[in-house]
Amino acid sequence: MSRTREFEELRPLLFSIAYRILGSVSEAEDAVQETWLRYGACPTRPASAKAFLSAMVSRIAIDVLRSARMRREEYAGAVVP
């Protein structure tokens, strides 16, 4: 089976994982897209595409959450005592 077909069969699962973590449809779709790009660039085929892609989309979604938290914590204005 081709990588594209494997990925398309698992896309609903990957989207549901990303959506549960991120809580946003657009961010979940972005995470799934990023997963596809990284999976396509992977030189070797994993033994289990389902496990590999699930772990990958989870890590990507968690990274998105971390970067969002960091953006919220940075204060752009002047510090007022």
Side-chain angles (χ1 to χ4, degrees), residues 8-68:
E8 288 302 320
E9 287 179 2
L10 294 171
R11 183 182 281 272
L13 171 69
L14 301 175
F15 177 80
S16 66
I17 292 170
Y19 182 74
R20 285 185 202 132
I21 294 172
L22 296 169
S24 167
V25 172
S26 63
E27 287 182 343
E29 288 173 348
D30 290 345
V32 171
Q33 255 329 95
E34 181 67 25
T35 302
W36 167 244
L37 293 174
R38 291 186 189 185
Y39 184 54
C42 184
T44 59
R45 290 185 69 97
S48 171
K50 183 177 181 178
F52 182 79
L53 291 170
S54 297
M56 187 182 292
V57 77
S58 297
R59 290 183 187 126
I60 290 169
I62 290 169
D63 288 344
V64 169
L65 280 180
R66 285 184 184 149
S67 69

Side-chain angles (χ1 to χ4, degrees), residues 1-7 39 45:
M1 185 182 327
S2 71
R3 283 188 182 211
T4 305
R5 187 168 178 196
E6 281 178 333
F7 185 82
Y39 184 54
R45 290 185 69 97

